[in-house]
Amino acid sequence: MVLDTGSDIVWIQCAPCTKCYSQTDPVFDPTKSRSFANIPCVSPMCRRLDSPGCSTKKQICLYQVSYGDGSFTVGEFSTETLTFRGTRVDRVMLGCGHDNEGLFVGAAGLLGLGRGGLSFPSQMGRLFNRKFSYCLVDRSASSKPSSMVFGDSAISRTAQFTPMLSNPKVDTFYYVELLGISVGGTLVSGISPSLFKLDSTGNGGVIIDSGTSVTRLTRPAYVALRDAFRAGASNLKQGPEFSLFDTCFDLSGKTEVKVPTVVLHFRGADVSLPASNYLIPVDNSGSFCFAFAGTMSGLSIIGNIQQQGFRVVYDLAASRVGFAPRGCA
């Protein structure tokens, strides 16, 4: 399943498919499960959905979720037993998706790890003390697997922590306070904390999202960061833009290069990114791009490319997010 800290609903593809994308394992067939149960429309569980539906024929609860990239899933809201490495969790509320379209290729579904009431951590609450963490290995270079830990052992001893902020308007996202960014050891002057402020109306702010790949910063912050990086990397041969990246380099024929350091300064935690977390290969011929992008929305998102190799700790009990470097070992 896709691990997504930017959404809440847990769902899997279910037979019979109206429209399913291709997944690696066989599609789950609820008729073959003794523990699977539909949720009736009149159930309070159904009313916990943001936009619940009801099938008139069977009077069972329906769900739908759409994501920022246009992907969506639609189906029956139900309960089922999930087993993780021998740990059984009964009656987890999840979507049984019969129409699932978008960028989910290969995965059987999505594990919603957000802060909302229907997310997996919220449903499990007491079972693992409202703590979990993951470490994502470098997708292009690693033979080690990524890992996910639930419970007290999710807290890494080497993690630096930053307080989790709450947005009264949106309960799903993990907001953190980003104060500034350094390039090559110098604070970027055009980036002030006000660019990342979560205001009283629920706009702006910075979230940590495992389900977004490239970090998006509000446009003025991105432009300042990019210009500082370009200035520090002026020794490198520039390459053409690629997809959403406007700052790319032709490193063909080089075995190693020196690049400016990039450090994200959160309140209480300075996260120093390895070069592979911000200069990423985009082809097989030596083109690398600076893996940040701007956004016209006020919301900035720290994506999973920037999280690679860190154990990212979500400690809801203490309302904090932690970052432990080299956390995948």
Side-chain angles (χ1 to χ4, degrees), residues 109-324:
L110 184 141
L111 191 66
L113 295 171
R115 290 177 86 175
L118 291 174
S119 74
F120 184 68
S122 295
Q123 288 192 57
M124 292 312 96
R126 301 293 155 263
L127 197 63
F128 53 74
N129 285 335
R130 302 177 61 206
K131 300 175 175 82
F132 68 91
S133 66
Y134 55 72
C135 190
L136 306 173
V137 297
D138 186 324
R139 63 182 93 194
S140 59
S142 187
S143 52
K144 296 184 300 205
S146 299
S147 68
M148 170 119 210
V149 181
F150 293 104
D152 292 338
S153 46
I155 309 282
S156 166
R157 280 193 287 276
T158 56
Q160 290 191 48
F161 286 94
T162 186
M164 214 179 266
L165 307 179
S166 284
N167 181 348
K169 298 279 195 294
V170 184
D171 60 1
T172 299
F173 297 142
Y174 296 99
Y175 284 88
V176 289
E177 203 174 348
L178 183 60
L179 303 173
I181 303 177
S182 293
V183 171
T186 306
L187 269 171
V188 178
S189 58
I191 299 183
S192 66
S194 60
L195 292 176
F196 304 121
K197 239 346 186 204
L198 174 61
D199 70 24
S200 53
T201 62
N203 292 318
V206 179
I207 63 170
I208 308 279
D209 183 9
S210 66
T212 292
S213 50
V214 176
T215 291
R216 315 291 173 118
L217 302 174
T218 53
R219 190 83 197 146
Y222 171 68
V223 169
L225 172 65
R226 174 199 70 192
D227 291 350
F229 188 82
R230 281 181 180 171
S234 55
N235 56 322
L236 301 179
K237 182 180 173 190
Q238 290 207 345
E241 299 188 357
F242 180 89
S243 176
L244 73 160
F245 302 124
D246 62 11
T247 300
C248 299
F249 303 94
D250 176 2
L251 305 183
S252 55
K254 294 193 164 24
T255 48
E256 65 172 52
V257 292
K258 281 196 163 40
V259 296
T261 54
V262 174
V263 181
L264 306 177
H265 301 287
F266 297 101
R267 181 172 297 285
D270 295 318
V271 177
S272 179
L273 300 178
S276 54
N277 285 27
Y278 55 88
L279 260 191
I280 63 167
V282 294
D283 59 21
N284 291 324
S285 56
S287 305
F288 285 75
C289 294
F290 185 55
F292 286 83
T295 172
M296 298 316 284
S297 116
L299 181 68
S300 297
I301 304 174
I302 308 295
N304 59 39
I305 292 173
Q306 282 63 43
Q307 297 174 44
Q308 284 177 171
F310 288 89
R311 181 152 292 283
V312 184
V313 181
Y314 296 78
D315 183 352
L316 287 143
S319 208
R320 58 184 190 159
V321 177
F323 302 91

